[in-house]
Amino acid sequence: MMANKFILDACCGCKFMWFDKENPNVIFNDIRKEEKGFIERRKNLEVNPNTQYDFRNLPFKNKQFKLITFDPPHLKGKMDKSTLKGCYGVIEGDFESYLGLGFRELWRCLDDYGVLFCKFNDVHISFKDIELLFPTKPLFQTSTNRSKNCITRWFCFMKNPNDVNATEEETEEEK
Ligand SMILES: C[S@@+](CC[C@H](N)C(=O)[O-])C[C@H]1O[C@@H](n2cnc3c(N)ncnc32)[C@H](O)[C@@H]1O
């Protein structure tokens, strides 16, 4: 049944952003699974993905998805029991390689003319640094949650096969 799903949420977390958290066209993926109650202050929250793959190494075919959403952790540091880190996770090591490998792998799984949305908040890592990891130039962006210390931005990319700015296509074996 997974083969019929044409949308990938690469790291769905608690699926806050989804209207339909059981959308049948989506593979909801996250590296972790958490039971209700894992965050003390928000007893109903859970992380309940369909699959638990690492977005840096996915078992999907080249060009399998028409739409991919990528909302990776944006906080650096150690995981703890706070609501923020519980919901959003953390990047413990080198963020350039962690997120760079993620972008590369998702670009491989995206179909020609497919769309990738990336959401990021610059509280710990600047947009200037994240932009260096992008697979190509975004088509457009929008900002939400603008606060004194940080901004959340959404970037929209399309995988145009004639795009001269795009990351070289991986010549990996079909998975
Ligand atoms: C910012 S949260 C996603 C929030 C989600 N978009 C929502 O609407 O609730 C980032 C998620 O990425 C997951 N994650 C971190 N590293 C990952 C990896 N290597 N592969 C897959 N998921 C990962 C974390 O477990 C965390 O749930």
Side-chain angles (χ1 to χ4, degrees):
M1 280 300 100
M2 286 290 184
N4 299 334
K5 297 180 186 244
F6 48 87
I7 302 171
L8 173 67
D9 186 339
C11 42
C12 65
C14 303
K15 305 181 189 169
F16 286 124
M17 66 187 192
W18 286 91
F19 291 111
D20 179 358
K21 298 181 197 308
E22 306 299 329
N23 187 316
N25 299 316
V26 182
I27 295 179
F28 292 100
N29 178 71
D30 201 287
I31 202 159
R32 63 193 172 122
K33 190 170 168 67
E34 305 279 7
E35 305 285 332
K36 281 189 180 164
F38 82 108
I39 295 176
E40 211 157 271
R41 292 198 187 156
R42 310 270 310 262
K43 292 272 188 237
N44 276 330
L45 290 183
E46 61 181 342
V47 179
N48 187 21
N50 304 124
T51 56
Q52 278 183 263
Y53 303 127
D54 184 332
F55 55 56
R56 295 168 296 176
N57 183 20
L58 296 166
F60 303 123
K61 290 188 191 149
N62 296 342
K63 306 183 198 270
Q64 183 165 331
F65 298 99
K66 307 285 184 201
L67 171 64
I68 298 181
T69 69
F70 187 37
D71 177 14
H74 58 273
L75 299 170
K76 290 203 284 189
K78 289 260 169 256
M79 194 64 180
D80 62 30
K81 293 197 164 166
S82 68
T83 306
L84 204 59
K85 289 185 176 173
C87 290
Y88 298 133
V90 294
I91 300 177
E92 294 198 15
D94 159 19
F95 77 86
E96 279 105 336
S97 107
Y98 202 79
L99 299 178
L101 288 171
F103 272 117
R104 220 179 157 77
E105 183 63 339
L106 296 177
W107 204 243
R108 178 187 70 75
C109 297
L110 188 63
D111 200 0
D112 288 343
Y113 304 104
V115 171
L116 168 68
F117 273 102
C118 173
K119 173 170 165 262
F120 205 75
N121 178 291
D122 71 342
V123 66
H124 286 172
I125 302 169
S126 74
F127 289 119
K128 199 158 56 67
D129 289 336
I130 283 300
E131 282 162 18
L132 295 174
L133 310 175
F134 284 173
T136 188
K137 281 188 181 173
L139 294 175
F140 51 84
Q141 64 172 41
T142 188
S143 301
T144 54
N145 281 1
R146 197 181 283 272
S147 77
K148 226 183 345 181
N149 304 325
C150 60
I151 304 177
T152 298
R153 279 200 182 135
W154 290 79
F155 299 91
C156 176
F157 306 86
M158 177 174 271
K159 188 172 171 184
N160 175 351
N162 304 313
D163 180 357
V164 290
N165 295 311
T167 297
E168 286 264 309
E169 191 70 32
E170 298 277 299
T171 48
E172 276 185 41
E173 298 286 302
E174 280 284 322
K175 289 196 186 174

